[in-house]
Amino acid sequence: MRAVLLGPPGAGKGTQAVRLSERWSIPAISTGDIFRANVKGATELGRRAQEFMNAGALVPDEITNAMVRDRLAQDDTGEGFLLDGYPRNPDQAIELDSMLADMGIELDAAIEITADMDEVTARLLKRAEIEGRADDTEPVIRKRLEVYATSTAPLTAFYEGRGVLVQVDGLGAVDEVTDRLVAAVENR
Ligand code: ADP
């Protein structure tokens, strides 16, 4: 299974990515997690990414694309992978196509978790209280949702055009959403 996971911030991508990766025995690769680990470890990559993340903006494509290309080249992706948080704009989607073409493989599914904007805003504000992520403040959440609507939402049509789009409603209990995702992808 080679798949990307799409959906707005707060839709539950990270939570579901872990569960789906267990189900299909493939690594879940979260660009947000990789960036955060680099910020924490004070690496050069983290230093370059941090200001964009804290503003709710996308980290520049040349940084993100190179990071994903390196990650996909690691040995554990042989049986597949689930990309969480990448691609996030059409240029990244085109770059991913070229990475996969270079590897001689194709994407099996673009799995979109849908959720309305009021629901995801409420979830992110709640998470802010619990986890204290630097980009979970109200103005930054607003910016992230704006970036999603402008840059990332067009990917739905892009992957629909490719015939690989699977859309699943992200509302409901975590287990319910996982079951829905598994059923939708496995019966596609
Ligand atoms: P969320 O989906 O909840 O906004 P993520 O953990 O996926 O959170 O991403 C956090 C931040 O990391 C983003 O706001 C952005 O700054 C950066 N980031 C993650 N993935 C990408 C990407 N594909 N391209 C550019 N920036 C990214």
Side-chain angles (χ1 to χ4, degrees), residues 9-10 13 31-32 35-36 52-53 57-59 64 85-86 88 92 127 133 135 144:
K13 294 189 301 292
T31 45
F35 282 133
R36 276 186 292 278
F52 299 99
M53 297 173 73
L58 294 185
V59 176
T64 309
Y86 183 93
R88 240 175 164 97
Q92 291 182 4
R127 186 174 77 185
R133 233 173 79 170
D135 60 350
R144 283 158 59 206

Side-chain angles (χ1 to χ4, degrees), residues 31-182:
T31 45
D33 283 351
I34 299 174
F35 282 133
R36 276 186 292 278
N38 277 276
V39 169
K40 208 169 161 206
T43 67
E44 176 61 18
L45 176 67
R47 195 189 56 72
R48 293 172 75 194
Q50 186 166 28
E51 59 177 305
F52 299 99
M53 297 173 73
N54 287 348
L58 294 185
V59 176
D61 286 350
E62 78 253 25
I63 298 175
T64 309
N65 290 336
M67 182 178 91
V68 172
R69 193 179 272 276
D70 282 353
R71 180 63 188 86
L72 288 178
Q74 289 176 24
D75 308 335
D76 64 345
T77 62
E79 298 300 311
F81 53 80
L82 181 61
L83 276 170
D84 163 16
Y86 183 93
R88 240 175 164 97
N89 63 29
D91 284 343
Q92 291 182 4
I94 289 164
E95 184 60 25
L96 176 61
D97 272 349
S98 112
M99 291 178 211
L100 299 181
D102 289 348
M103 297 167 78
I105 56 183
E106 284 181 11
L107 205 63
D108 298 308
I111 309 163
E112 181 180 21
I113 304 180
T114 61
D116 73 43
M117 288 301 138
D118 288 344
E119 170 70 18
V120 298
T121 306
R123 286 188 192 177
L124 290 169
L125 287 171
K126 194 168 156 210
R127 186 174 77 185
E129 287 173 20
I130 301 164
E131 293 179 16
R133 233 173 79 170
D135 60 350
D136 274 349
T137 61
E138 203 177 335
V140 180
I141 289 172
R142 201 173 315 123
K143 173 72 183 171
R144 283 158 59 206
L145 291 173
E146 233 174 78
V147 169
Y148 174 78
T150 310
S151 303
T152 313
L155 295 180
T156 303
F158 177 90
Y159 285 117
E160 189 170 29
R162 295 288 176 86
V164 292
L165 183 69
V166 179
Q167 285 178 303
V168 173
D169 183 0
L171 281 194
V174 172
D175 282 340
E176 245 171 68
V177 176
T178 306
D179 291 346
R180 244 180 252 153
L181 283 162
V182 167

